[in-house]
Amino acid sequence: MKANPWWVHPALLITGLLYGANYSVAKSVMPEPVSPFAFILVRVLFATAVFWLIHPLFTSEKIESRKDFVRLVACGFFGAAINMLMFFQGLSMTSPVNGALIMTLTPVVVVTMSYFLLKERITRRKALGLSFGLCGAVFLVGLHEFSFSNSFLLGDLLVIGNAISYAIYLVLVKRLMARYHPLTVVKWTFLFGLIFVAPFSIHEAVAIPFGDLSGAQWLSIGYVLLGTTVIAYIANVSALKYVNSSVVGYYIFLQPLFATLIEVVSGRELPTMGKVISAALIFLGVYLVSVKRGN
């Protein structure tokens, strides 16, 4: 693996912040006036257009083999289509607490799949860091508030499916990053993702009342399109050129932390010692997972 450049972990940190803020930002436009599935199509369509337009400015490389094309199709399915569709649909059918807690399983699934498919070792240091992060995220969200209601079961299963699909995507795209430029990977990933997403959401997307959206709502949409779609996906795949899938997956623990910090700063939640301890556990876990012993 190539030497780890200075920008990798700051980029992953910023990605966690972008996703953490997204929980608050997206609320201003979903589910009204923009339905979740319609928003997904807009995200994927916008990202596809941006990546294909800027790709020639950075590289002219082409996909080398049919096997890599098959892997890119899988990345589009798991990373830009099914994970988004399952997450938004699942979140609408379960409680926010259930969804947030289930999402903390994603790094665990990534580590497990990376072990079996990429032969990434699960060291004691990595296992300890993962345990700290999982405990911190669970304490932060509140395990006691998890609901086992049958009415949430389907939604919970869809969110679990989202966690698994995103983990599969991180493992698949890691292999591609060993041979291709990040923009080459994401432009094909989102093109294939668009093909998968369109049939499920085109009928809702055409009903978006673009002319009636307020300035604040346009800003929220712009944040999601540029921040959590274009910038976040480029940052993640670029980091995968230098670090393991498990490290990128681990940063998902930062999303509920940053979401909580934003709520505290905005005055909607109060800071507590429990939140401070949870944050300390998560950052300690980040350190143990991402920094090699002796560095």
Side-chain angles (χ1 to χ4, degrees):
M1 184 174 293
K2 297 181 179 180
N4 203 342
W6 66 268
W7 55 264
V8 168
H9 293 290
L12 291 173
L13 196 67
I14 291 171
T15 300
L17 178 59
L18 289 171
Y19 277 126
N22 187 56
Y23 290 97
S24 300
V25 173
K27 288 180 182 178
S28 64
V29 291
M30 287 192 306
E32 294 293 339
V34 183
S35 69
F37 275 24
F39 207 170
I40 291 170
L41 180 57
V42 172
R43 286 182 67 184
V44 177
L45 180 60
F46 178 83
T48 302
V50 169
F51 292 144
W52 277 81
L53 283 173
I54 67 175
H55 179 264
L57 302 177
F58 296 90
T59 178
S60 59
E61 67 182 6
K62 302 182 184 301
I63 304 304
E64 298 172 357
S65 67
R66 182 176 299 178
K67 184 178 181 180
D68 286 342
F69 261 118
V70 171
R71 193 168 281 131
L72 283 165
V73 171
C75 285
F77 179 73
F78 290 109
I82 191 171
N83 74 306
M84 291 187 189
L85 293 171
M86 281 188 166
F87 179 71
F88 281 108
Q89 186 62 33
L91 205 57
S92 69
M93 300 173 67
T94 188
S95 70
V97 172
N98 280 28
L101 283 171
I102 292 171
M103 280 302 295
T104 63
L105 295 175
T106 304
V108 180
V109 179
V110 173
V111 170
T112 304
M113 289 188 172
S114 297
Y115 173 77
F116 287 106
L117 299 179
L118 298 179
K119 308 304 179 185
E120 292 182 4
R121 293 175 59 235
I122 303 178
T123 63
R124 281 181 292 181
R125 188 183 180 91
K126 183 182 291 186
L128 186 62
L130 194 65
S131 300
F132 279 139
L134 185 60
C135 289
V138 169
F139 290 157
L140 185 66
V141 177
L143 184 60
H144 63 283
E145 296 184 19
F146 189 90
S147 174
F148 292 93
S149 171
N150 287 335
S151 61
F152 291 156
L153 180 59
L154 181 56
D156 291 342
L157 291 174
L158 287 172
V159 178
I160 291 173
N162 158 72
I164 294 173
S165 67
Y166 190 69
I168 294 173
Y169 161 72
L170 287 180
V171 172
L172 289 172
V173 80
K174 171 64 178 176
R175 294 179 180 271
L176 291 166
M177 288 312 303
R179 295 191 291 277
Y180 298 106
H181 189 281
L183 283 173
T184 302
V185 174
V186 292
K187 82 166 190 174
W188 285 106
T189 294
F190 273 86
L191 178 62
F192 291 128
L194 179 62
I195 295 171
F196 289 122
V197 165
F200 296 96
S201 51
I202 186 66
H203 62 288
E204 295 184 12
V206 296
I208 298 176
F210 288 107
D212 297 332
L213 297 177
S214 66
Q217 288 173 328
W218 275 112
L219 286 175
S220 296
I221 292 173
Y223 175 88
V224 174
L225 297 183
L226 287 174
T228 62
T229 310
V230 173
I231 295 176
Y233 269 82
I234 289 179
N236 274 342
V237 296
S238 298
L240 281 168
K241 207 171 189 71
Y242 304 97
V243 298
N244 292 332
S245 300
S246 55
V247 175
V248 176
Y250 187 92
Y251 273 83
I252 292 173
F253 284 141
L254 291 177
Q255 294 178 24
L257 173 60
F258 283 135
T260 301
L261 288 176
I262 290 169
E263 293 293 301
V264 170
V265 171
S266 64
R268 290 188 288 267
E269 286 191 21
L270 295 175
T272 64
M273 183 55 66
K275 291 183 175 67
V276 173
I277 294 173
S278 296
L281 286 171
I282 291 173
F283 279 114
L284 177 59
V286 169
Y287 173 78
L288 291 173
V289 169
S290 60
V291 179
K292 294 181 179 179
R293 187 173 183 177
N295 287 355

